[in-house]
Amino acid sequence: MVVDLHTHTTASDGSLSPLELVSRAREKGVTLLSVTDHDTVDAYHELRDVDLPGIQLVPGIELSCQWSGVNIHVLGLGIDPDDAGLTEQLQRQRQRRSERAELIAQRLEKLGIKDCYAGASRLAEGRAIGRPDFARYMVEAGYVYSMNAAFDKYLGAGKAGDVKAVWPELAEVVEWINSAGGIAVLAHPMQYKMTNAKLRRLLDAFCECGGGGLEVANGRPPLVEQRYLRQLCKEYGLEASIGSDFHQPNNWLELGTMISSLGDCTPVWRRWSQAAADATVKNEVIV
């Protein structure tokens, strides 16, 4: 049984539409899937009335927040996409992103990048504008030759377009998720490049405010990293989640993850699929 509880679509920063993602997931044998777009559940509106034979869809989201000056991502799995409280908070998140995009555009305009807000807005196609949209516009308009060049010169850390977003606190987004009937899962904990001591402080805070899960495999992590995260998962009594963090088709990252990455941790998906939980116990391997 193939599980993937961390994926993205064009509703945020992925390259496939929700329907295209589900189709590709089916091709790769995924049977338990969550679409976890950044700060939006728009994908579920498109998928709501679509017949999805062979795939169980777990409503999800990836929320941006801050803790101790660090930008943290938390997955909300098993949420109610129509929860009124969550909907209200997501509207506020979108407003924050919009204000940030306007400031980025103002800074880029001063550097001679003309019509960049309108261009980025057009490429965003109705979703919240992000730095990748500005990068795509600059490539399209001939200001740079690649998106990497756009980040290197204009949008990366310390550059004019590097506008820090003002995100809510960790405890707030965990509360949103819990109130919407889901479980809060700390996403890709190794990507924050924290010391062991600081990561443990983060987990202390996460558990204290009601966090319930830890992503022990994000993409294709090295075994030493998986063992470390499994250890933390058990120490803190957290349920374990895995996902590809899929954004676009490429040669090294594909939909679907290895159930064996969990070891003997408690799988978060037992909440929605007893069959997947049973497969985990049997240590079945997914590719």
Side-chain angles (χ1 to χ4, degrees):
M1 194 166 193
V2 181
V3 174
D4 198 329
L5 299 179
H6 192 164
T7 66
H8 298 276
T9 74
T10 50
S12 62
D13 59 347
S15 66
L16 301 183
S17 72
L19 287 174
E20 289 171 335
L21 178 76
V22 171
S23 177
R24 190 177 186 90
R26 184 181 292 111
E27 291 175 3
K28 301 301 177 181
V30 176
T31 53
L32 187 65
L33 174 72
S34 185
V35 179
T36 53
D37 281 314
H38 293 282
D39 303 307
T40 180
V41 292
D42 286 354
Y44 291 98
H45 300 313
E46 182 174 335
L47 297 172
R48 187 184 305 275
D49 298 321
V50 176
D51 186 25
L52 305 173
I55 288 187
Q56 180 180 349
L57 193 63
V58 177
I61 194 169
E62 186 169 9
L63 291 168
S64 300
C65 60
Q66 59 183 349
W67 171 82
S68 193
V70 181
N71 181 23
I72 302 295
H73 288 178
V74 178
L75 299 174
L77 300 178
I79 58 170
D80 174 5
D82 298 317
D83 179 78
L86 179 62
T87 298
E88 179 182 353
Q89 297 300 339
L90 293 182
Q91 290 173 345
R92 293 180 181 177
Q93 288 281 72
R94 188 179 182 88
Q95 181 60 33
R96 291 186 181 102
R97 287 185 179 274
S98 177
E99 292 169 357
R100 179 193 186 205
E102 290 175 2
L103 182 53
I104 291 173
Q106 291 172 13
R107 293 186 177 187
L108 294 178
E109 290 275 352
K110 290 180 180 179
L111 296 177
I113 311 297
K114 303 299 183 184
D115 302 317
C116 57
Y117 186 86
S121 179
R122 172 174 52 80
L123 293 170
E125 298 181 330
R127 57 176 168 72
I129 303 171
R131 284 184 299 169
D133 299 307
F134 285 106
R136 290 167 59 203
Y137 169 71
M138 283 189 275
V139 173
E140 178 186 88
Y143 289 102
V144 292
Y145 64 88
S146 70
M147 289 186 63
N148 285 341
F151 274 87
D152 289 343
K153 189 172 183 179
Y154 297 104
L155 298 166
K159 304 302 180 181
D162 179 27
V163 177
K164 303 303 181 186
V166 180
W167 301 122
E169 293 293 330
L170 173 67
E172 292 181 72
V173 301
V174 170
E175 181 182 1
W176 300 349
I177 292 166
N178 291 342
S179 296
I183 177 174
V185 175
L186 184 65
H188 42 66
M190 300 304 291
Q191 290 187 19
Y192 308 123
K193 301 187 185 305
M194 296 179 178
T195 63
N196 176 63
K198 187 168 185 177
L199 179 55
R200 286 177 178 274
R201 290 199 298 273
L202 169 58
L203 288 172
D204 286 335
F206 182 65
C207 292
E208 184 177 347
C209 66
L214 182 69
E215 193 171 52
V216 300
N218 178 273
R220 299 289 187 269
L223 287 175
V224 63
E225 181 177 302
Q226 293 179 40
R227 294 191 188 102
Y228 173 60
L229 293 176
R230 289 198 299 258
Q231 175 188 337
L232 291 176
C233 201
K234 288 186 286 186
E235 282 186 29
Y236 285 85
L238 296 168
E239 296 176 29
S241 185
I242 56 177
S244 62
D245 205 354
F246 179 90
H247 283 74
Q248 60 187 5
N250 56 49
N251 294 327
W252 64 273
L253 181 61
E254 193 47 84
L255 288 160
T257 316
M258 297 178 66
I259 279 184
S260 58
S261 301
L262 263 67
D264 58 353
C265 294
T266 301
V268 67
W269 51 80
R270 68 175 181 170
R271 294 166 173 259
W272 313 292
S273 173
Q274 186 58 48
D278 291 343
T280 307
V281 172
K282 296 176 183 177
N283 202 31
E284 291 184 5
V285 176
I286 324 174
V287 294

